[in-house]
CSV table of all heavy atoms in Angstrom, one decimal:
chain,number,residue,atom,x,y,z
A,134,MET,N,0.9,-1.2,0.0
A,134,MET,CA,0.0,0.0,0.0
A,134,MET,C,0.9,1.2,0.0
A,134,MET,O,1.8,1.3,0.8
A,134,MET,CB,-0.9,0.0,1.2
A,134,MET,CG,-1.9,1.1,1.3
A,134,MET,SD,-2.8,1.1,2.9
A,134,MET,CE,-4.2,0.4,2.3
A,135,SER,N,0.6,2.1,-0.9
A,135,SER,CA,1.4,3.4,-0.9
A,135,SER,C,0.7,4.6,-0.3
A,135,SER,O,-0.5,4.6,-0.2
A,135,SER,CB,1.8,3.7,-2.4
A,135,SER,OG,0.7,4.0,-3.1
A,136,GLY,N,1.4,5.6,0.1
A,136,GLY,CA,0.9,6.7,0.7
A,136,GLY,C,0.3,7.7,-0.4
A,136,GLY,O,0.4,7.4,-1.6
A,137,SER,N,-0.3,8.8,0.0
A,137,SER,CA,-0.7,9.8,-1.0
A,137,SER,C,0.4,10.4,-1.6
A,137,SER,O,1.5,10.5,-1.1
A,137,SER,CB,-1.6,10.7,-0.2
A,137,SER,OG,-0.8,11.6,0.5
A,138,PRO,N,0.2,11.0,-2.8
A,138,PRO,CA,1.3,11.7,-3.5
A,138,PRO,C,1.9,12.8,-2.7
A,138,PRO,O,3.0,13.0,-2.8
A,138,PRO,CB,0.6,12.2,-4.8
A,138,PRO,CG,-0.6,11.3,-5.0
A,138,PRO,CD,-1.0,10.9,-3.6
A,139,ASP,N,1.0,13.6,-2.0
A,139,ASP,CA,1.5,14.7,-1.1
A,139,ASP,C,2.5,14.2,-0.1
A,139,ASP,O,3.5,14.7,0.2
A,139,ASP,CB,0.4,15.4,-0.5
A,139,ASP,CG,-0.4,16.3,-1.5
A,139,ASP,OD1,0.2,16.6,-2.6
A,139,ASP,OD2,-1.5,16.6,-1.3
A,140,THR,N,2.1,13.0,0.5
A,140,THR,CA,2.9,12.4,1.6
A,140,THR,C,4.2,12.0,1.0
A,140,THR,O,5.3,12.3,1.6
A,140,THR,CB,2.2,11.3,2.3
A,140,THR,OG1,1.0,11.8,2.8
A,140,THR,CG2,3.0,10.7,3.4
A,141,GLU,N,4.2,11.3,-0.1
A,141,GLU,CA,5.5,10.8,-0.8
A,141,GLU,C,6.3,12.0,-1.2
A,141,GLU,O,7.5,11.9,-1.0
A,141,GLU,CB,5.1,9.9,-1.9
A,141,GLU,CG,4.5,8.6,-1.5
A,141,GLU,CD,4.0,7.7,-2.7
A,141,GLU,OE1,4.5,7.9,-3.8
A,141,GLU,OE2,3.2,6.8,-2.4
A,142,HIS,N,5.7,13.0,-1.7
A,142,HIS,CA,6.4,14.3,-2.2
A,142,HIS,C,7.1,14.9,-1.0
A,142,HIS,O,8.3,15.3,-1.0
A,142,HIS,CB,5.5,15.2,-2.9
A,142,HIS,CG,6.2,16.4,-3.3
A,142,HIS,ND1,7.1,16.4,-4.3
A,142,HIS,CD2,6.2,17.7,-2.8
A,142,HIS,CE1,7.6,17.7,-4.4
A,142,HIS,NE2,7.0,18.5,-3.5
A,143,GLY,N,6.4,15.0,0.1
A,143,GLY,CA,6.9,15.6,1.3
A,143,GLY,C,8.1,14.8,1.8
A,143,GLY,O,9.1,15.4,2.3
A,144,ARG,N,8.0,13.5,1.9
A,144,ARG,CA,9.1,12.6,2.3
A,144,ARG,C,10.3,12.8,1.5
A,144,ARG,O,11.4,12.9,1.9
A,144,ARG,CB,8.7,11.1,2.3
A,144,ARG,CG,8.0,10.8,3.7
A,144,ARG,CD,7.8,9.3,3.9
A,144,ARG,NE,6.4,9.1,3.8
A,144,ARG,CZ,5.7,8.1,3.2
A,144,ARG,NH1,6.3,7.2,2.7
A,144,ARG,NH2,4.4,8.1,3.3
A,145,ALA,N,10.0,12.9,0.2
A,145,ALA,CA,11.2,13.1,-0.8
A,145,ALA,C,11.8,14.5,-0.6
A,145,ALA,O,13.0,14.6,-0.6
A,145,ALA,CB,10.7,13.0,-2.2
A,146,ALA,N,11.0,15.5,-0.3
A,146,ALA,CA,11.5,16.8,-0.1
A,146,ALA,C,12.4,16.8,1.2
A,146,ALA,O,13.4,17.4,1.2
A,146,ALA,CB,10.4,17.8,0.0
A,147,VAL,N,11.9,16.1,2.2
A,147,VAL,CA,12.6,16.1,3.5
A,147,VAL,C,14.0,15.4,3.3
A,147,VAL,O,15.1,15.9,3.7
A,147,VAL,CB,11.9,15.4,4.6
A,147,VAL,CG1,12.7,15.1,5.8
A,147,VAL,CG2,10.7,16.2,5.0
A,148,GLN,N,14.0,14.3,2.6
A,148,GLN,CA,15.3,13.5,2.3
A,148,GLN,C,16.2,14.4,1.5
A,148,GLN,O,17.4,14.5,1.8
A,148,GLN,CB,15.0,12.3,1.6
A,148,GLN,CG,14.4,11.2,2.5
A,148,GLN,CD,15.2,10.8,3.6
A,148,GLN,OE1,15.0,11.4,4.7
A,148,GLN,NE2,16.1,10.0,3.5
A,149,HIS,N,15.7,15.1,0.5
A,149,HIS,CA,16.6,16.0,-0.3
A,149,HIS,C,17.1,17.1,0.5
A,149,HIS,O,18.4,17.3,0.4
A,149,HIS,CB,15.7,16.5,-1.5
A,149,HIS,CG,16.5,17.4,-2.4
A,149,HIS,ND1,17.4,17.1,-3.2
A,149,HIS,CD2,16.3,18.8,-2.5
A,149,HIS,CE1,17.9,18.1,-3.8
A,149,HIS,NE2,17.3,19.2,-3.4
A,150,MET,N,16.4,17.7,1.3
A,150,MET,CA,16.9,18.9,2.1
A,150,MET,C,17.8,18.3,3.3
A,150,MET,O,18.8,19.0,3.5
A,150,MET,CB,15.7,19.6,2.8
A,150,MET,CG,15.0,20.5,1.8
A,150,MET,SD,13.6,21.4,2.6
A,150,MET,CE,14.5,22.4,3.7
A,151,MET,N,17.6,17.1,3.7
A,151,MET,CA,18.5,16.6,4.7
A,151,MET,C,19.9,16.4,4.1
A,151,MET,O,20.9,16.7,4.7
A,151,MET,CB,18.0,15.2,5.3
A,151,MET,CG,16.8,15.3,6.2
A,151,MET,SD,17.2,16.2,7.8
A,151,MET,CE,18.3,15.0,8.5
A,152,ARG,N,20.0,15.9,2.8
A,152,ARG,CA,21.3,15.7,2.2
A,152,ARG,C,21.9,17.0,2.0
A,152,ARG,O,23.1,17.1,2.1
A,152,ARG,CB,21.1,14.9,0.9
A,152,ARG,CG,20.8,13.4,1.1
A,152,ARG,CD,20.9,12.6,-0.2
A,152,ARG,NE,20.0,13.1,-1.2
A,152,ARG,CZ,18.7,12.7,-1.3
A,152,ARG,NH1,18.2,11.8,-0.5
A,152,ARG,NH2,17.9,13.2,-2.3
A,153,ARG,N,21.2,18.0,1.4
A,153,ARG,CA,21.7,19.3,1.2
A,153,ARG,C,22.3,20.0,2.4
A,153,ARG,O,23.2,20.8,2.3
A,153,ARG,CB,20.6,20.2,0.5
A,153,ARG,CG,20.4,19.9,-1.0
A,153,ARG,CD,19.4,20.8,-1.6
A,153,ARG,NE,20.1,22.2,-1.8
A,153,ARG,CZ,19.5,23.3,-2.2
A,153,ARG,NH1,18.3,23.3,-2.4
A,153,ARG,NH2,20.2,24.4,-2.3
A,154,LEU,N,21.6,19.9,3.5
A,154,LEU,CA,21.9,20.7,4.7
A,154,LEU,C,22.7,20.0,5.7
A,154,LEU,O,23.0,20.5,6.8
A,154,LEU,CB,20.6,21.2,5.3
A,154,LEU,CG,19.7,22.1,4.4
A,154,LEU,CD1,18.4,22.4,5.1
A,154,LEU,CD2,20.4,23.4,4.1
A,155,ASP,N,23.0,18.8,5.5
A,155,ASP,CA,23.8,17.9,6.5
A,155,ASP,C,25.1,18.6,6.9
A,155,ASP,O,25.2,18.8,8.1
A,155,ASP,CB,24.1,16.6,5.9
A,155,ASP,CG,24.9,15.7,6.9
A,155,ASP,OD1,24.3,15.5,7.9
A,155,ASP,OD2,26.0,15.3,6.6
A,156,GLY,N,25.9,19.1,6.0
A,156,GLY,CA,27.1,19.7,6.4
A,156,GLY,C,26.9,21.0,7.2
A,156,GLY,O,27.6,21.4,8.1
A,157,PHE,N,25.9,21.8,6.8
A,157,PHE,CA,25.6,23.1,7.4
A,157,PHE,C,25.2,22.8,8.9
A,157,PHE,O,25.7,23.4,9.7
A,157,PHE,CB,24.5,23.8,6.7
A,157,PHE,CG,24.1,25.1,7.2
A,157,PHE,CD1,24.9,26.2,6.9
A,157,PHE,CD2,23.0,25.2,8.0
A,157,PHE,CE1,24.5,27.5,7.4
A,157,PHE,CE2,22.7,26.5,8.5
A,157,PHE,CZ,23.4,27.6,8.2
A,158,ALA,N,24.3,21.8,9.0
A,158,ALA,CA,23.8,21.5,10.4
A,158,ALA,C,24.9,20.9,11.3
A,158,ALA,O,25.0,21.3,12.4
A,158,ALA,CB,22.7,20.4,10.3
A,159,ARG,N,25.8,20.1,10.7
A,159,ARG,CA,26.9,19.6,11.5
A,159,ARG,C,27.9,20.7,11.9
A,159,ARG,O,28.3,20.7,13.0
A,159,ARG,CB,27.7,18.6,10.7
A,159,ARG,CG,27.0,17.3,10.6
A,159,ARG,CD,27.8,16.3,9.8
A,159,ARG,NE,27.1,15.1,9.5
A,159,ARG,CZ,27.6,13.9,9.5
A,159,ARG,NH1,28.9,13.7,9.9
A,159,ARG,NH2,26.9,12.8,9.2
A,160,GLY,N,28.1,21.7,11.0
A,160,GLY,CA,28.9,22.9,11.3
A,160,GLY,C,28.3,23.6,12.5
A,160,GLY,O,29.1,24.3,13.2
A,161,LEU,N,27.1,23.7,12.6
A,161,LEU,CA,26.4,24.4,13.7
A,161,LEU,C,26.3,23.6,15.0
A,161,LEU,O,25.9,24.1,16.0
A,161,LEU,CB,24.9,24.8,13.3
A,161,LEU,CG,24.8,25.8,12.2
A,161,LEU,CD1,23.3,26.0,11.8
A,161,LEU,CD2,25.4,27.2,12.7
A,162,GLY,N,26.7,22.3,14.9
A,162,GLY,CA,26.7,21.4,16.1
A,162,GLY,C,25.3,20.8,16.3
A,162,GLY,O,25.0,20.2,17.4
A,163,LEU,N,24.4,20.8,15.3
A,163,LEU,CA,23.0,20.2,15.5
A,163,LEU,C,23.1,18.7,15.2
A,163,LEU,O,23.8,18.3,14.2
A,163,LEU,CB,22.1,20.8,14.5
A,163,LEU,CG,21.8,22.3,14.7
A,163,LEU,CD1,20.9,22.8,13.7
A,163,LEU,CD2,21.3,22.6,16.2
A,164,ASP,N,22.4,17.9,15.9
A,164,ASP,CA,22.3,16.5,15.7
A,164,ASP,C,21.3,16.2,14.6
A,164,ASP,O,20.5,17.1,14.2
A,164,ASP,CB,22.1,15.6,17.0
A,164,ASP,CG,20.7,16.0,17.6
A,164,ASP,OD1,19.8,16.5,16.9
A,164,ASP,OD2,20.6,15.7,18.7
A,165,GLU,N,21.3,14.9,14.1
A,165,GLU,CA,20.3,14.5,13.0
A,165,GLU,C,18.9,14.7,13.4
A,165,GLU,O,18.1,15.2,12.6
A,165,GLU,CB,20.7,13.2,12.5
A,165,GLU,CG,19.7,12.8,11.3
A,165,GLU,CD,20.1,11.4,10.8
A,165,GLU,OE1,21.1,10.7,11.2
A,165,GLU,OE2,19.4,11.0,9.9
A,166,ALA,N,18.5,14.4,14.6
A,166,ALA,CA,17.1,14.4,15.1
A,166,ALA,C,16.7,15.9,15.1
A,166,ALA,O,15.5,16.2,14.6
A,166,ALA,CB,17.0,13.8,16.4
A,167,THR,N,17.5,16.8,15.5
A,167,THR,CA,17.1,18.2,15.5
A,167,THR,C,17.0,18.8,14.2
A,167,THR,O,16.0,19.4,13.8
A,167,THR,CB,18.1,19.0,16.4
A,167,THR,OG1,18.2,18.5,17.7
A,167,THR,CG2,17.8,20.5,16.4
A,168,THR,N,17.9,18.4,13.3
A,168,THR,CA,17.9,18.9,11.9
A,168,THR,C,16.7,18.3,11.2
A,168,THR,O,16.0,19.0,10.5
A,168,THR,CB,19.2,18.3,11.1
A,168,THR,OG1,20.3,18.9,11.8
A,168,THR,CG2,19.2,18.9,9.8
A,169,ARG,N,16.4,17.0,11.4
A,169,ARG,CA,15.2,16.4,10.8
A,169,ARG,C,13.9,17.1,11.2
A,169,ARG,O,13.0,17.4,10.4
A,169,ARG,CB,15.1,14.9,11.0
A,169,ARG,CG,13.9,14.2,10.3
A,169,ARG,CD,14.0,12.7,10.4
A,169,ARG,NE,15.2,12.2,9.7
A,169,ARG,CZ,15.2,12.1,8.3
A,169,ARG,NH1,14.2,12.5,7.5
A,169,ARG,NH2,16.3,11.6,7.8
A,170,ALA,N,13.8,17.4,12.5
A,170,ALA,CA,12.6,18.0,13.0
A,170,ALA,C,12.5,19.4,12.4
A,170,ALA,O,11.3,19.9,12.0
A,170,ALA,CB,12.7,18.3,14.6
A,171,ILE,N,13.5,20.2,12.2
A,171,ILE,CA,13.4,21.5,11.6
A,171,ILE,C,13.0,21.4,10.2
A,171,ILE,O,12.1,22.0,9.6
A,171,ILE,CB,14.8,22.2,11.7
A,171,ILE,CG1,15.0,22.6,13.3
A,171,ILE,CG2,14.8,23.4,10.9
A,171,ILE,CD1,16.4,23.1,13.5
A,172,VAL,N,13.7,20.5,9.5
A,172,VAL,CA,13.4,20.3,8.0
A,172,VAL,C,12.0,19.9,7.8
A,172,VAL,O,11.3,20.3,7.0
A,172,VAL,CB,14.4,19.3,7.4
A,172,VAL,CG1,14.0,18.9,6.0
A,172,VAL,CG2,15.8,19.9,7.3
A,173,GLU,N,11.5,18.9,8.6
A,173,GLU,CA,10.1,18.4,8.4
A,173,GLU,C,9.1,19.5,8.7
A,173,GLU,O,8.1,19.7,7.9
A,173,GLU,CB,9.8,17.3,9.4
A,173,GLU,CG,10.5,16.0,8.9
A,173,GLU,CD,10.3,14.8,10.0
A,173,GLU,OE1,9.9,15.1,11.2
A,173,GLU,OE2,10.7,13.6,9.6
A,174,ARG,N,9.4,20.4,9.7
A,174,ARG,CA,8.5,21.5,10.0
A,174,ARG,C,8.5,22.5,8.8
A,174,ARG,O,7.4,23.0,8.4
A,174,ARG,CB,8.9,22.1,11.3
A,174,ARG,CG,8.2,23.4,11.8
A,174,ARG,CD,6.7,23.2,11.9
A,174,ARG,NE,6.1,21.9,12.3
A,174,ARG,CZ,4.9,21.5,11.9
A,174,ARG,NH1,4.0,22.3,11.2
A,174,ARG,NH2,4.4,20.3,12.3
A,175,VAL,N,9.6,22.8,8.2
A,175,VAL,CA,9.7,23.8,7.2
A,175,VAL,C,8.9,23.3,6.0
A,175,VAL,O,8.2,24.0,5.3
A,175,VAL,CB,11.2,24.1,6.8
A,175,VAL,CG1,11.3,24.8,5.5
A,175,VAL,CG2,11.8,24.8,7.9
A,176,VAL,N,9.1,22.0,5.6
A,176,VAL,CA,8.5,21.4,4.5
A,176,VAL,C,6.9,21.4,4.7
A,176,VAL,O,6.2,21.7,3.9
A,176,VAL,CB,8.9,19.9,4.2
A,176,VAL,CG1,8.0,19.2,3.3
A,176,VAL,CG2,10.3,19.9,3.7
A,177,ALA,N,6.5,21.1,6.0
A,177,ALA,CA,5.0,21.2,6.2
A,177,ALA,C,4.5,22.6,6.3
A,177,ALA,O,3.3,22.8,5.8
A,177,ALA,CB,4.8,20.5,7.6
A,178,ASP,N,5.3,23.5,6.7
A,178,ASP,CA,4.8,24.9,6.9
A,178,ASP,C,4.7,25.7,5.6
A,178,ASP,O,4.0,26.6,5.3
A,178,ASP,CB,5.7,25.7,7.8
A,178,ASP,CG,5.5,25.3,9.3
A,178,ASP,OD1,4.6,24.6,9.5
A,178,ASP,OD2,6.3,25.8,10.1
A,179,ARG,N,5.6,25.2,4.6
A,179,ARG,CA,5.8,26.0,3.4
A,179,ARG,C,5.8,25.1,2.1
A,179,ARG,O,6.8,25.1,1.3
A,179,ARG,CB,7.2,26.7,3.4
A,179,ARG,CG,7.2,27.7,4.6
A,179,ARG,CD,8.6,28.2,4.8
A,179,ARG,NE,8.6,29.1,5.9
A,179,ARG,CZ,8.4,30.4,5.9
A,179,ARG,NH1,8.2,31.0,4.7
A,179,ARG,NH2,8.5,31.2,7.0
A,180,PRO,N,4.7,24.4,1.9
A,180,PRO,CA,4.6,23.5,0.8
A,180,PRO,C,4.6,24.2,-0.6
A,180,PRO,O,5.0,23.6,-1.6
A,180,PRO,CB,3.3,22.8,0.9
A,180,PRO,CG,2.5,23.7,1.8
A,180,PRO,CD,3.4,24.4,2.7
A,181,GLU,N,4.2,25.4,-0.6
A,181,GLU,CA,4.1,26.2,-1.9
A,181,GLU,C,5.5,26.8,-2.3
A,181,GLU,O,5.6,27.2,-3.5
A,181,GLU,CB,3.1,27.3,-1.8
A,181,GLU,CG,3.5,28.5,-0.9
A,181,GLU,CD,3.5,28.3,0.6
A,181,GLU,OE1,2.9,27.3,1.1
A,181,GLU,OE2,4.1,29.1,1.3
A,182,GLN,N,6.4,26.8,-1.4
A,182,GLN,CA,7.7,27.4,-1.8
A,182,GLN,C,8.7,26.4,-2.5
A,182,GLN,O,8.5,25.2,-2.4
A,182,GLN,CB,8.5,27.9,-0.5
A,182,GLN,CG,7.7,29.1,0.1
A,182,GLN,CD,8.6,29.7,1.3
A,182,GLN,OE1,9.2,29.0,2.0
A,182,GLN,NE2,8.4,31.0,1.4
A,183,THR,N,9.7,27.1,-3.2
A,183,THR,CA,10.7,26.2,-3.9
A,183,THR,C,11.6,25.5,-2.9
A,183,THR,O,11.6,26.0,-1.7
A,183,THR,CB,11.5,27.1,-4.9
A,183,THR,OG1,12.3,28.0,-4.0
A,183,THR,CG2,10.6,27.9,-5.9
A,184,ASP,N,12.3,24.5,-3.4
A,184,ASP,CA,13.3,23.9,-2.5
A,184,ASP,C,14.3,24.9,-2.0
A,184,ASP,O,14.7,24.8,-0.8
A,184,ASP,CB,14.0,22.8,-3.3
A,184,ASP,CG,13.2,21.6,-3.5
A,184,ASP,OD1,12.1,21.4,-2.9
A,184,ASP,OD2,13.6,20.7,-4.3
A,185,GLU,N,14.8,25.9,-2.9
A,185,GLU,CA,15.7,26.8,-2.5
A,185,GLU,C,15.1,27.7,-1.3
A,185,GLU,O,15.9,28.0,-0.4
A,185,GLU,CB,16.1,27.7,-3.6
A,185,GLU,CG,17.3,28.6,-3.3
A,185,GLU,CD,18.6,27.9,-2.8
A,185,GLU,OE1,18.9,26.7,-3.2
A,185,GLU,OE2,19.3,28.5,-1.9
A,186,GLU,N,13.9,28.2,-1.5
A,186,GLU,CA,13.3,29.0,-0.5
A,186,GLU,C,13.2,28.3,0.8
A,186,GLU,O,13.4,28.8,2.0
A,186,GLU,CB,12.0,29.5,-0.9
A,186,GLU,CG,12.0,30.5,-2.1
A,186,GLU,CD,10.7,30.8,-2.7
A,186,GLU,OE1,9.9,29.9,-2.8
A,186,GLU,OE2,10.5,32.0,-3.1
A,187,ARG,N,12.8,27.0,0.8
A,187,ARG,CA,12.7,26.2,2.0
A,187,ARG,C,14.0,25.9,2.6
A,187,ARG,O,14.1,25.9,3.9
A,187,ARG,CB,12.0,24.9,1.7
A,187,ARG,CG,10.5,25.1,1.4
A,187,ARG,CD,9.8,23.8,1.3
A,187,ARG,NE,10.2,23.0,0.3
A,187,ARG,CZ,9.4,22.2,-0.4
A,187,ARG,NH1,8.1,22.0,-0.1
A,187,ARG,NH2,9.8,21.5,-1.4
A,188,SER,N,15.1,25.7,1.8
A,188,SER,CA,16.4,25.5,2.4
A,188,SER,C,16.9,26.8,3.1
A,188,SER,O,17.5,26.7,4.2
A,188,SER,CB,17.4,25.2,1.2
A,188,SER,OG,17.1,23.9,0.7
A,189,ILE,N,16.6,27.9,2.6
A,189,ILE,CA,17.0,29.1,3.2
A,189,ILE,C,16.2,29.3,4.6
A,189,ILE,O,16.9,29.6,5.6
A,189,ILE,CB,16.7,30.4,2.3
A,189,ILE,CG1,17.6,30.4,1.1
A,189,ILE,CG2,16.7,31.7,3.2
A,189,ILE,CD1,17.1,31.4,0.1
A,190,GLU,N,15.0,29.0,4.6
A,190,GLU,CA,14.2,29.1,5.9
A,190,GLU,C,14.8,28.0,6.9
A,190,GLU,O,14.9,28.3,8.0
A,190,GLU,CB,12.7,28.8,5.6
A,190,GLU,CG,11.9,28.8,6.9
A,190,GLU,CD,11.9,30.1,7.6
A,190,GLU,OE1,12.1,31.1,7.0
A,190,GLU,OE2,11.5,30.1,8.8
A,191,ALA,N,15.1,26.8,6.4
A,191,ALA,CA,15.6,25.8,7.3
A,191,ALA,C,17.0,26.2,7.9
A,191,ALA,O,17.2,26.0,9.1
A,191,ALA,CB,15.8,24.5,6.6
A,192,ARG,N,17.8,26.9,7.1
A,192,ARG,CA,19.1,27.3,7.5
A,192,ARG,C,18.9,28.4,8.7
A,192,ARG,O,19.6,28.4,9.7
A,192,ARG,CB,19.9,27.9,6.5
A,192,ARG,CG,20.5,26.9,5.6
A,192,ARG,CD,21.5,27.6,4.5
A,192,ARG,NE,21.9,26.6,3.5
A,192,ARG,CZ,21.3,26.6,2.3
A,192,ARG,NH1,20.4,27.4,1.9
A,192,ARG,NH2,21.7,25.7,1.4
A,193,CYS,N,18.0,29.3,8.4
A,193,CYS,CA,17.7,30.3,9.4
A,193,CYS,C,17.2,29.7,10.8
A,193,CYS,O,17.6,30.1,11.8
A,193,CYS,CB,16.6,31.3,8.9
A,193,CYS,SG,17.2,32.3,7.6
A,194,ARG,N,16.3,28.8,10.6
A,194,ARG,CA,15.9,28.0,11.9
A,194,ARG,C,17.0,27.2,12.5
A,194,ARG,O,17.0,27.2,13.8
A,194,ARG,CB,14.7,27.2,11.5
A,194,ARG,CG,13.4,27.9,11.1
A,194,ARG,CD,12.3,27.0,10.9
A,194,ARG,NE,11.1,27.7,10.2
A,194,ARG,CZ,9.9,27.2,10.2
A,194,ARG,NH1,9.6,26.0,10.7
A,194,ARG,NH2,8.9,27.9,9.6
A,195,MET,N,17.9,26.7,11.8
A,195,MET,CA,18.9,26.0,12.4
A,195,MET,C,19.9,26.9,13.1
A,195,MET,O,20.4,26.6,14.2
A,195,MET,CB,19.8,25.2,11.2
A,195,MET,CG,19.0,24.0,10.7
A,195,MET,SD,20.0,23.3,9.5
A,195,MET,CE,18.8,22.1,8.7
A,196,ILE,N,20.1,28.1,12.6
A,196,ILE,CA,21.0,29.1,13.2
A,196,ILE,C,20.3,29.4,14.6
A,196,ILE,O,21.0,29.5,15.7
A,196,ILE,CB,21.2,30.3,12.4
A,196,ILE,CG1,22.1,29.9,11.2
A,196,ILE,CG2,21.8,31.4,13.2
A,196,ILE,CD1,22.2,31.0,10.0
A,197,VAL,N,19.1,29.7,14.6
A,197,VAL,CA,18.4,30.0,15.8
A,197,VAL,C,18.4,28.8,16.8
A,197,VAL,O,18.7,29.0,18.0
A,197,VAL,CB,16.9,30.3,15.6
A,197,VAL,CG1,16.1,30.5,16.9
A,197,VAL,CG2,16.8,31.7,14.8
A,198,ALA,N,18.2,27.6,16.4
A,198,ALA,CA,18.3,26.5,17.2
A,198,ALA,C,19.7,26.2,17.8
A,198,ALA,O,19.8,25.7,18.9
A,198,ALA,CB,17.9,25.2,16.5
A,199,SER,N,20.7,26.6,17.0
A,199,SER,CA,22.2,26.4,17.5
A,199,SER,C,22.5,27.5,18.6
A,199,SER,O,23.6,27.3,19.3
A,199,SER,CB,23.1,26.3,16.4
A,199,SER,OG,23.3,27.6,15.9
A,200,ALA,N,21.9,28.5,18.6
A,200,ALA,CA,22.2,29.6,19.5
A,200,ALA,C,22.0,29.4,20.9
A,200,ALA,O,21.3,28.6,21.4
A,200,ALA,CB,21.5,30.9,19.1
């Protein structure tokens, strides 16, 4: 049984962003669980934005989380 297209797209977006932002998050000292929580929230909050716009937002939230 497969999930809905939106759910599958959301999971794919999270995986893509996790790969793109891994080094950035590690540089800030964030662990994978924290990074994933931030990325999942950004994807859920901003479905209409491009990957680049969501990545920018995720980076901003990661900086705040690391402070």
Side-chain angles (χ1 to χ4, degrees):
M134 183 186 263
S135 65
S137 71
D139 288 338
T140 302
E141 291 175 22
H142 178 73
R144 275 189 245 146
V147 168
Q148 287 300 92
H149 177 72
M150 286 180 65
M151 288 293 293
R152 285 191 302 273
R153 282 186 73 187
L154 298 172
D155 181 60
F157 184 80
R159 286 180 191 222
L161 292 173
L163 298 176
D164 61 21
E165 184 177 351
T167 302
T168 302
R169 182 170 296 279
I171 291 168
V172 168
E173 287 175 347
R174 178 56 28 210
V175 169
V176 170
D178 287 351
R179 300 171 181 268
E181 72 287 345
Q182 290 188 327
T183 66
D184 286 346
E185 187 60 31
E186 291 169 326
R187 289 190 293 213
S188 292
I189 292 167
E190 178 63 23
R192 285 184 191 103
C193 291
R194 292 184 189 193
M195 287 178 192
I196 291 168
V197 170
S199 71

